[in-house]
Amino acid sequence: FANYGGLAARFRIAASLEELAVQPATLSAQGLVALDTATPLVQPRGAGEALQLVVDVTLDGASFSEAAVTFTLYTAVVTGGTPAGGPLGGAAVLVLEGEGFVDLGEGSATCLFRRVGAGGDALFTAARVLGATAVACDAPEGAEAGAYTVELSLNGGYDVEPVLFDDVSFQLYDPAALQAHALQPPGGPVAGG
């Protein structure tokens, strides 16, 4: 790309091609291969609603590219998660529940585990959008036992704290620390109970 006096990105609603906004753009740090711009401010839609946009660019402020890419605006809400904990070692899966989850492609859904009270680094893990109401987050490998808050990003970690997302609590424990010392009663009938 080169700046011919009018770098901009045009956002149109995909279903109707109605123009939503033209936003100024700048050459990115990547130079001639990418532009940086902001998405237009859109009135919030109800939770669970997504809006598919078509984005094309102009270098001179007048002639827009014929090739366009799509961008999805979404409104998602996290309402909870299960289970409340799992073992260390990355074997646990936390399922976040809510509405409005969208799958934006491979690697776009990620979960951010923050250790409560530790002030340490956040741990990003892979996530899978199971549908509009559920996302599965893999517990972080190499994490320490303890309490974590979990946040969700649907766009590859660019936005991890949207206003409508609530943190979910999750406890990682060391399965080696679990020990059974006795059973009461020590036996029972074959029929169970």
Side-chain angles (χ1 to χ4, degrees), residues 107-112 124-127 137 151-158 160:
S108 62
T110 58
C111 291
L112 179 66
F124 278 95
T125 66
C137 300
E151 299 166 9
L152 173 65
S153 173
L154 295 173
N155 63 358
Y158 288 99
V160 292

Side-chain angles (χ1 to χ4, degrees), residues 90-192:
V93 176
L94 169 65
V95 177
L96 296 177
E97 299 142 355
E99 57 185 303
F101 302 143
V102 293
D103 188 348
L104 298 175
E106 179 96 20
S108 62
T110 58
C111 291
L112 179 66
F113 287 74
R114 293 183 195 270
R115 180 93 188 265
V116 174
D121 292 333
L123 302 168
F124 278 95
T125 66
R128 293 165 305 289
V129 177
L130 303 175
T133 60
V135 173
C137 300
D138 296 331
E141 292 184 33
E144 296 177 8
Y148 289 79
T149 59
V150 182
E151 299 166 9
L152 173 65
S153 173
L154 295 173
N155 63 358
Y158 288 99
D159 297 297
V160 292
E161 297 184 79
V163 177
L164 297 176
F165 285 25
D166 293 327
D167 291 344
V168 172
S169 295
F170 190 71
Q171 183 79 29
L172 285 173
Y173 61 87
D174 183 357
L178 298 176
Q179 297 179 7
H181 294 285
L183 290 175
Q184 288 300 325
V190 175

Side-chain angles (χ1 to χ4, degrees), residues 36-62:
D36 292 329
T37 190
T39 56
L41 179 60
V42 176
Q43 288 296 331
R45 296 176 174 272
E49 293 185 34
L51 180 63
Q52 191 81 17
L53 302 178
V54 173
V55 183
D56 47 13
V57 297
T58 179
L59 302 177
D60 64 6

Side-chain angles (χ1 to χ4, degrees), residues 57-78:
V57 297
T58 179
L59 302 177
D60 64 6
S63 301
F64 285 88
S65 60
E66 291 185 26
V69 294
T70 59
F71 186 84
T72 303
L73 292 173
Y74 54 84
T75 305
V77 178
V78 174

